[in-house]
Amino acid sequence: YQRRVRGLGARKMPALTPDQYTEIPQIQEKYDTLKKSFGQHITLPLAKRRDQLQALHRLVTENEAALCAAVKEDLGKPEGETYGMELLVIANECIDHLDHLEDWTRPEKPSVPLVNMMDGCQIRRDPLGTVLVIGAFNYPVQLTLLPIVGAITAGNTVMVTASESSGASAALMSRLVQKYICLLYTSPSPRDS
C-alpha cells in the first residue's frame, strides 16, 4: 500500500510477508505459556529482571547498525536520527532502570494514623501478569522495545507485536528478541490487521 512518509511523497513501505505472521492459535499458545511462566514466579526475582534488562541493553548496543539499516529500509530515516531518537533512548532507559531497580521494587512504608502504627502497613509494587506491547510504524524500534523496559522492571511477562507496516524492523526485532531475551514475540496475524 502507499503511505506518505516524511515529506518524500507516496512511498511503498515494506510490510511483513504472509509467512512472517503468527496464526491465532499460536498466539493463544504463546500467551498461555507466558501466563504459566508468570504463575511460576519466573520473572519475580530481581536477579532475573536485571539479567533481562542487561540482555535488552546488549540487544540494542550490539545491533545498532542492523537496527538502523532496517529502519532506513522501512522509513528512509537517516541512521543518525534512528541512533539518537530510538536506540540511545532505549539504551539509556535500560541503564536508568538497572540503576534504580532495587529502589523502585522495595516496599514503601506509608505514614499511617496512630491506631495503625503497629500493623506493619506497606505499599508493595507487585507485577500483575502479562503485558501486551503493540509497536507503531513511525518509530518502530523505540515504540516496540521501550515499553518492554518498564514491563521487565516491574516483573511482568511480555508479549510483543511490532507494526506490520515496518516489515524489515519487525522481522529483525523478532529474531533479536528471541535471541537475547526470554520473552515471547509475535508478529501480527493477518486476521488481526
Side-chain angles (χ1 to χ4, degrees), residues 97-122:
H97 282 240
L98 284 165
D99 289 345
H100 295 98
L101 183 62
E102 285 81 15
D103 296 335
W104 291 343
T105 55
R106 186 177 300 125
E108 180 183 329
K109 294 193 181 248
S111 60
V112 292
L114 183 62
V115 169
N116 300 101
M117 286 274 204
M118 301 304 286
D119 292 346
C121 297
Q122 55 180 233

mmCIF file of all heavy atoms in Angstrom, residues 97-122:
data_model
loop_
_atom_site.group_PDB
_atom_site.id
_atom_site.type_symbol
_atom_site.label_atom_id
_atom_site.label_comp_id
_atom_site.label_asym_id
_atom_site.label_seq_id
_atom_site.Cartn_x
_atom_site.Cartn_y
_atom_site.Cartn_z
ATOM 1 N N HIS A 97 16.935 2.062 34.530
ATOM 2 C CA HIS A 97 16.156 1.054 35.254
ATOM 3 C C HIS A 97 17.070 0.108 36.030
ATOM 4 O O HIS A 97 16.716 -0.304 37.140
ATOM 5 C CB HIS A 97 15.246 0.284 34.301
ATOM 6 C CG HIS A 97 14.022 1.051 33.921
ATOM 7 N ND1 HIS A 97 12.760 0.595 34.182
ATOM 8 C CD2 HIS A 97 13.862 2.258 33.309
ATOM 9 C CE1 HIS A 97 11.865 1.488 33.746
ATOM 10 N NE2 HIS A 97 12.518 2.495 33.208
ATOM 11 N N LEU A 98 18.228 -0.224 35.463
ATOM 12 C CA LEU A 98 19.187 -1.063 36.194
ATOM 13 C C LEU A 98 19.695 -0.347 37.444
ATOM 14 O O LEU A 98 19.851 -0.965 38.498
ATOM 15 C CB LEU A 98 20.361 -1.434 35.289
ATOM 16 C CG LEU A 98 20.079 -2.525 34.258
ATOM 17 C CD1 LEU A 98 21.168 -2.558 33.198
ATOM 18 C CD2 LEU A 98 19.938 -3.876 34.932
ATOM 19 N N ASP A 99 19.939 0.960 37.319
ATOM 20 C CA ASP A 99 20.434 1.740 38.460
ATOM 21 C C ASP A 99 19.412 1.862 39.585
ATOM 22 O O ASP A 99 19.779 1.977 40.750
ATOM 23 C CB ASP A 99 20.846 3.151 38.010
ATOM 24 C CG ASP A 99 22.115 3.158 37.183
ATOM 25 O OD1 ASP A 99 22.845 2.137 37.193
ATOM 26 O OD2 ASP A 99 22.377 4.184 36.518
ATOM 27 N N HIS A 100 18.130 1.872 39.248
ATOM 28 C CA HIS A 100 17.082 2.120 40.245
ATOM 29 C C HIS A 100 16.216 0.901 40.559
ATOM 30 O O HIS A 100 15.226 1.028 41.281
ATOM 31 C CB HIS A 100 16.187 3.270 39.770
ATOM 32 C CG HIS A 100 16.903 4.568 39.678
ATOM 33 N ND1 HIS A 100 17.401 5.047 38.493
ATOM 34 C CD2 HIS A 100 17.238 5.475 40.625
ATOM 35 C CE1 HIS A 100 17.998 6.210 38.711
ATOM 36 N NE2 HIS A 100 17.921 6.483 39.990
ATOM 37 N N LEU A 101 16.562 -0.257 40.028
ATOM 38 C CA LEU A 101 15.715 -1.441 40.170
ATOM 39 C C LEU A 101 15.385 -1.750 41.628
ATOM 40 O O LEU A 101 14.212 -1.928 41.984
ATOM 41 C CB LEU A 101 16.384 -2.647 39.509
ATOM 42 C CG LEU A 101 15.588 -3.944 39.505
ATOM 43 C CD1 LEU A 101 14.286 -3.776 38.733
ATOM 44 C CD2 LEU A 101 16.416 -5.063 38.890
ATOM 45 N N GLU A 102 16.388 -1.788 42.481
ATOM 46 C CA GLU A 102 16.146 -2.123 43.892
ATOM 47 C C GLU A 102 15.290 -1.063 44.585
ATOM 48 O O GLU A 102 14.392 -1.387 45.354
ATOM 49 C CB GLU A 102 17.473 -2.294 44.653
ATOM 50 C CG GLU A 102 18.198 -3.590 44.337
ATOM 51 C CD GLU A 102 18.989 -3.521 43.034
ATOM 52 O OE1 GLU A 102 19.222 -2.396 42.517
ATOM 53 O OE2 GLU A 102 19.352 -4.578 42.513
ATOM 54 N N ASP A 103 15.568 0.215 44.306
ATOM 55 C CA ASP A 103 14.798 1.296 44.931
ATOM 56 C C ASP A 103 13.321 1.236 44.527
ATOM 57 O O ASP A 103 12.443 1.432 45.359
ATOM 58 C CB ASP A 103 15.363 2.663 44.545
ATOM 59 C CG ASP A 103 16.769 2.885 45.064
ATOM 60 O OD1 ASP A 103 17.136 2.252 46.073
ATOM 61 O OD2 ASP A 103 17.504 3.684 44.456
ATOM 62 N N TRP A 104 13.073 0.998 43.252
ATOM 63 C CA TRP A 104 11.704 1.018 42.753
ATOM 64 C C TRP A 104 10.904 -0.200 43.187
ATOM 65 O O TRP A 104 9.672 -0.169 43.168
ATOM 66 C CB TRP A 104 11.697 1.121 41.235
ATOM 67 C CG TRP A 104 12.176 2.446 40.711
ATOM 68 C CD1 TRP A 104 12.292 3.613 41.406
ATOM 69 C CD2 TRP A 104 12.612 2.722 39.391
ATOM 70 N NE1 TRP A 104 12.768 4.608 40.596
ATOM 71 C CE2 TRP A 104 12.979 4.087 39.339
ATOM 72 C CE3 TRP A 104 12.746 1.973 38.236
ATOM 73 C CZ2 TRP A 104 13.446 4.702 38.200
ATOM 74 C CZ3 TRP A 104 13.214 2.587 37.088
ATOM 75 C CH2 TRP A 104 13.557 3.936 37.076
ATOM 76 N N THR A 105 11.575 -1.287 43.538
ATOM 77 C CA THR A 105 10.848 -2.503 43.912
ATOM 78 C C THR A 105 10.781 -2.724 45.419
ATOM 79 O O THR A 105 10.097 -3.632 45.876
ATOM 80 C CB THR A 105 11.500 -3.741 43.256
ATOM 81 O OG1 THR A 105 12.880 -3.788 43.616
ATOM 82 C CG2 THR A 105 11.353 -3.686 41.747
ATOM 83 N N ARG A 106 11.472 -1.896 46.174
ATOM 84 C CA ARG A 106 11.480 -2.005 47.639
ATOM 85 C C ARG A 106 10.114 -1.585 48.200
ATOM 86 O O ARG A 106 9.546 -0.579 47.782
ATOM 87 C CB ARG A 106 12.578 -1.099 48.198
ATOM 88 C CG ARG A 106 12.788 -1.226 49.690
ATOM 89 C CD ARG A 106 13.932 -0.361 50.181
ATOM 90 N NE ARG A 106 15.183 -0.741 49.540
ATOM 91 C CZ ARG A 106 15.978 0.107 48.864
ATOM 92 N NH1 ARG A 106 15.660 1.374 48.771
ATOM 93 N NH2 ARG A 106 17.082 -0.318 48.308
ATOM 94 N N PRO A 107 9.574 -2.341 49.160
ATOM 95 C CA PRO A 107 8.310 -1.929 49.785
ATOM 96 C C PRO A 107 8.465 -0.564 50.464
ATOM 97 O O PRO A 107 9.520 -0.246 51.003
ATOM 98 C CB PRO A 107 8.040 -3.009 50.822
ATOM 99 C CG PRO A 107 8.821 -4.184 50.359
ATOM 100 C CD PRO A 107 10.034 -3.631 49.670
ATOM 101 N N GLU A 108 7.421 0.213 50.414
ATOM 102 C CA GLU A 108 7.420 1.565 50.991
ATOM 103 C C GLU A 108 6.516 1.575 52.218
ATOM 104 O O GLU A 108 5.415 1.026 52.193
ATOM 105 C CB GLU A 108 6.904 2.536 49.934
ATOM 106 C CG GLU A 108 6.850 3.959 50.364
ATOM 107 C CD GLU A 108 6.259 4.846 49.261
ATOM 108 O OE1 GLU A 108 6.438 4.534 48.072
ATOM 109 O OE2 GLU A 108 5.593 5.827 49.616
ATOM 110 N N LYS A 109 6.992 2.194 53.275
ATOM 111 C CA LYS A 109 6.175 2.305 54.497
ATOM 112 C C LYS A 109 5.463 3.662 54.477
ATOM 113 O O LYS A 109 6.111 4.695 54.611
ATOM 114 C CB LYS A 109 7.053 2.175 55.731
ATOM 115 C CG LYS A 109 7.654 0.794 55.861
ATOM 116 C CD LYS A 109 8.252 0.610 57.221
ATOM 117 C CE LYS A 109 8.857 -0.763 57.289
ATOM 118 N NZ LYS A 109 8.196 -1.646 58.176
ATOM 119 N N PRO A 110 4.157 3.640 54.323
ATOM 120 C CA PRO A 110 3.417 4.902 54.297
ATOM 121 C C PRO A 110 3.194 5.442 55.714
ATOM 122 O O PRO A 110 3.284 4.703 56.690
ATOM 123 C CB PRO A 110 2.089 4.514 53.657
ATOM 124 C CG PRO A 110 1.901 3.099 54.075
ATOM 125 C CD PRO A 110 3.289 2.502 54.123
ATOM 126 N N SER A 111 2.935 6.728 55.787
ATOM 127 C CA SER A 111 2.559 7.272 57.094
ATOM 128 C C SER A 111 1.104 6.866 57.348
ATOM 129 O O SER A 111 0.259 6.927 56.462
ATOM 130 C CB SER A 111 2.712 8.793 57.111
ATOM 131 O OG SER A 111 1.890 9.372 56.139
ATOM 132 N N VAL A 112 0.858 6.392 58.555
ATOM 133 C CA VAL A 112 -0.480 5.909 58.901
ATOM 134 C C VAL A 112 -0.912 6.544 60.219
ATOM 135 O O VAL A 112 -0.080 7.027 60.991
ATOM 136 C CB VAL A 112 -0.499 4.367 59.032
ATOM 137 C CG1 VAL A 112 -0.271 3.703 57.693
ATOM 138 C CG2 VAL A 112 0.506 3.878 60.040
ATOM 139 N N PRO A 113 -2.199 6.547 60.490
ATOM 140 C CA PRO A 113 -2.684 7.073 61.771
ATOM 141 C C PRO A 113 -2.107 6.268 62.943
ATOM 142 O O PRO A 113 -1.697 5.114 62.789
ATOM 143 C CB PRO A 113 -4.200 6.909 61.694
ATOM 144 C CG PRO A 113 -4.510 6.714 60.261
ATOM 145 C CD PRO A 113 -3.295 6.153 59.625
ATOM 146 N N LEU A 114 -2.079 6.860 64.100
ATOM 147 C CA LEU A 114 -1.532 6.255 65.307
ATOM 148 C C LEU A 114 -2.130 4.876 65.581
ATOM 149 O O LEU A 114 -1.441 3.957 66.004
ATOM 150 C CB LEU A 114 -1.762 7.202 66.499
ATOM 151 C CG LEU A 114 -1.184 6.760 67.827
ATOM 152 C CD1 LEU A 114 0.330 6.645 67.726
ATOM 153 C CD2 LEU A 114 -1.572 7.723 68.918
ATOM 154 N N VAL A 115 -3.405 4.723 65.310
ATOM 155 C CA VAL A 115 -4.105 3.464 65.559
ATOM 156 C C VAL A 115 -3.488 2.314 64.750
ATOM 157 O O VAL A 115 -3.446 1.178 65.198
ATOM 158 C CB VAL A 115 -5.609 3.622 65.199
ATOM 159 C CG1 VAL A 115 -6.324 2.297 65.175
ATOM 160 C CG2 VAL A 115 -6.263 4.578 66.146
ATOM 161 N N ASN A 116 -2.983 2.617 63.549
ATOM 162 C CA ASN A 116 -2.452 1.581 62.661
ATOM 163 C C ASN A 116 -0.929 1.462 62.670
ATOM 164 O O ASN A 116 -0.368 0.717 61.879
ATOM 165 C CB ASN A 116 -2.908 1.856 61.233
ATOM 166 C CG ASN A 116 -4.395 1.857 61.100
ATOM 167 O OD1 ASN A 116 -5.011 2.912 61.054
ATOM 168 N ND2 ASN A 116 -4.988 0.674 61.069
ATOM 169 N N MET A 117 -0.258 2.173 63.560
ATOM 170 C CA MET A 117 1.212 2.172 63.585
ATOM 171 C C MET A 117 1.804 0.774 63.738
ATOM 172 O O MET A 117 2.825 0.471 63.151
ATOM 173 C CB MET A 117 1.734 3.061 64.716
ATOM 174 C CG MET A 117 1.592 4.516 64.420
ATOM 175 S SD MET A 117 3.010 5.023 63.499
ATOM 176 C CE MET A 117 3.025 6.736 63.857
ATOM 177 N N MET A 118 1.199 -0.077 64.502
ATOM 178 C CA MET A 118 1.746 -1.404 64.767
ATOM 179 C C MET A 118 1.308 -2.455 63.730
ATOM 180 O O MET A 118 1.683 -3.612 63.834
ATOM 181 C CB MET A 118 1.327 -1.865 66.165
ATOM 182 C CG MET A 118 1.774 -0.941 67.280
ATOM 183 S SD MET A 118 3.554 -0.670 67.295
ATOM 184 C CE MET A 118 4.100 -2.233 67.933
ATOM 185 N N ASP A 119 0.535 -2.053 62.745
ATOM 186 C CA ASP A 119 0.012 -3.001 61.761
ATOM 187 C C ASP A 119 1.041 -3.424 60.722
ATOM 188 O O ASP A 119 0.835 -4.390 60.003
ATOM 189 C CB ASP A 119 -1.198 -2.414 61.030
ATOM 190 C CG ASP A 119 -2.394 -2.260 61.949
ATOM 191 O OD1 ASP A 119 -2.371 -2.844 63.051
ATOM 192 O OD2 ASP A 119 -3.340 -1.549 61.563
ATOM 193 N N GLY A 120 2.145 -2.695 60.588
ATOM 194 C CA GLY A 120 3.152 -3.039 59.579
ATOM 195 C C GLY A 120 2.677 -2.763 58.162
ATOM 196 O O GLY A 120 2.970 -3.521 57.244
ATOM 197 N N CYS A 121 1.937 -1.680 57.981
ATOM 198 C CA CYS A 121 1.429 -1.330 56.655
ATOM 199 C C CYS A 121 2.587 -1.039 55.700
ATOM 200 O O CYS A 121 3.594 -0.443 56.077
ATOM 201 C CB CYS A 121 0.532 -0.096 56.739
ATOM 202 S SG CYS A 121 -0.937 -0.338 57.727
ATOM 203 N N GLN A 122 2.428 -1.472 54.467
ATOM 204 C CA GLN A 122 3.421 -1.152 53.445
ATOM 205 C C GLN A 122 2.778 -1.177 52.069
ATOM 206 O O GLN A 122 1.774 -1.852 51.845
ATOM 207 C CB GLN A 122 4.623 -2.095 53.501
ATOM 208 C CG GLN A 122 4.310 -3.547 53.404
ATOM 209 C CD GLN A 122 5.549 -4.409 53.460
ATOM 210 O OE1 GLN A 122 5.732 -5.209 52.583
ATOM 211 N NE2 GLN A 122 6.387 -4.263 54.468
#
